[in-house]
Amino acid sequence: MLSAALPDPLLVALVGGAGGVVLGLAARLGRFCTLGAIEDLLYQGSSLRLRMWLMAMAVAGLGVFSLMALGLMPLGRTIYHMSPFSPLAAALGGGLFGYGMALAGNCGFGALARAGGGDLRSWVIVLVMGMAAYAAVSGPLAGLRLWLVHGTALDVQSRDLAALLGWVTGLPVWAVGVGLWALAVMALLVSPVLRGDRRALFWAVAVGLAIVSGWAGTVHLAHGGFTLIPIESHSFTAPLGETMLYVMTSSGGGLSFGVGSVLGVLAGALLGSAIKGHFRWEACEDPRELRRQILGAVLMGFGAVLAMGCTIGQGVSAMSVLAYGAPVTFVAILGGAALGLRQLISGFSRIV
């Protein structure tokens, strides 16, 4: 078999890359964008793109717990289950991320998707966010992050809502997860808003399945490979820094799921922009705009590492496993983004 002839790091990068291509296409062809969803809801009165985000969560969650029912998903081995749970870190990190996202005009995933379409401003966001993330992971801000997380972590027996509800009800964890996410899918399809837009529904489902492919692929390689492979799915904060290290020197940081995911989104976005004929070079002409984008990227980089994920990492991947921190971070991102957008629209440039 081909997989037997390829090294594990390359295989896991290919798994990340395949899902990343789908995510990049969803951003360019399906207009899947978190900040756009929040802006549409608050200022356009449209909930379509927010419902796309929620449907992606629900499909991903239904897929994850279905895999668990089949014995193919060891839920307790995800990064969200093996890390301390700090509501303060999740709320603070999510709020910083959401606020920075509004300032920058994009999240990490959105910036990658726009960069794939020729937006040079988004490359600035990607690079600065990647550096800020690594400063928080293992650089000068790592001590502050660890102090915030470990100093405020709660001593909890479980790490996800499905396990908690399973303990309360006596039901298997997988049954709780499948039931909750199946109800969520049905609730989203009751309204004609998403059901009536087949393109939006298709790409929302595609995003959810891309998240499932990440979980399933890394589980398979972790069990069958010879290299220690973490069980993970897509997120776009620390992987930006990983990709920068890999591009600069593969010996400083090798191939990983995150590197493949980042490169896959760029490839998918490039393909999607070419299909629609939207590829064009764009640059920043306003120094104030560039200043806001750099500040926003720094806040996103630190905030997402503190909260252990971004709009995709926490908002879809962590949500799919019903990790405790996911809904806290999700609400905080929404709140931070709403605050940042309000200040921008009210004349934030005069304050900065």
Side-chain angles (χ1 to χ4, degrees), residues 243-258:
T243 306
M244 290 164 59
L245 284 175
Y246 177 73
V247 170
M248 289 186 293
T249 165
S250 59
S251 61
L255 281 171
S256 66
F257 179 89

Side-chain angles (χ1 to χ4, degrees), residues 81-347:
H81 289 77
M82 299 175 69
S83 301
F85 168 56
S86 167
L88 177 62
L92 178 59
L96 286 173
F97 182 91
Y99 187 73
M101 178 172 65
L103 293 188
N106 256 316
C107 63
F109 166 66
L112 279 172
R114 289 184 65 87
D119 191 335
L120 298 176
R121 296 167 297 186
S122 294
W123 280 109
V124 174
I125 296 173
V126 168
L127 294 174
V128 173
M129 188 175 169
M131 288 188 290
Y134 251 61
V137 170
S138 56
L141 296 178
L144 174 61
R145 174 183 62 83
L146 292 172
W147 176 76
L148 282 170
V149 172
H150 292 278
T152 59
L154 298 182
D155 184 14
V156 291
Q157 295 300 313
S158 64
R159 290 289 193 275
D160 64 83
L161 295 170
L164 177 62
L165 291 175
W167 176 77
V168 172
T169 62
L171 293 171
V173 173
W174 67 263
V176 173
V178 168
L180 288 175
W181 286 122
L183 287 174
V185 169
M186 289 187 287
L188 287 164
L189 290 177
V190 165
S191 170
V193 176
L194 184 57
R195 190 180 69 244
D197 192 323
R198 292 184 178 180
R199 184 184 69 169
L201 180 58
F202 172 84
W203 286 112
V205 172
V207 169
L209 293 177
I211 300 301
V212 176
S213 75
W215 290 122
T218 55
V219 167
H220 175 72
L221 292 173
H223 286 170
F226 297 98
T227 305
L228 181 62
I229 294 174
I231 295 173
E232 59 185 323
S233 194
H234 298 277
S235 186
F236 298 98
T237 307
L240 297 180
E242 291 177 24
T243 306
M244 290 164 59
L245 284 175
Y246 177 73
V247 170
M248 289 186 293
T249 165
S250 59
S251 61
L255 281 171
S256 66
F257 179 89
V259 171
S261 177
V262 167
L263 297 179
V265 170
L266 285 172
L270 177 60
L271 177 60
S273 62
I275 290 172
K276 297 203 74 172
H278 287 173
F279 184 91
R280 64 180 181 273
W281 297 111
E282 298 180 67
C284 180
E285 298 178 356
D286 186 350
R288 292 174 301 177
E289 178 187 4
L290 183 60
R291 180 175 61 186
R292 286 197 302 270
Q293 289 175 332
I294 291 174
L295 175 59
V298 170
L299 292 176
M300 283 195 292
F302 180 75
V305 171
L306 183 61
M308 290 185 60
C310 57
T311 51
I312 299 296
Q314 278 286 352
V316 186
S317 293
M319 270 289 200
S320 71
V321 298
L322 293 173
Y324 282 155
V328 178
T329 306
F330 177 74
V331 172
I333 288 174
L334 293 177
L339 175 62
L341 288 170
R342 182 176 179 84
Q343 288 188 309
L344 285 171
I345 291 171
S346 301

Side-chain angles (χ1 to χ4, degrees), residues 17-77:
V21 168
V22 174
L23 293 172
L25 286 170
R28 300 301 302 195
L29 301 181
R31 299 181 65 242
F32 188 90
C33 173
T34 306
L35 183 61
I38 298 170
E39 288 178 318
D40 286 356
L41 181 68
L42 295 179
Y43 300 104
Q44 302 297 326
S46 172
S47 63
L48 175 62
R49 289 205 281 179
L50 181 61
R51 290 172 187 269
M52 288 178 69
W53 192 11
L54 296 174
M55 178 59 81
M57 290 180 201
V59 170
L62 190 57
V64 164
F65 284 98
S66 296
L67 289 174
M68 187 181 183
L70 297 171
L72 301 175
M73 179 66 192
L75 206 62
R77 289 181 56 191

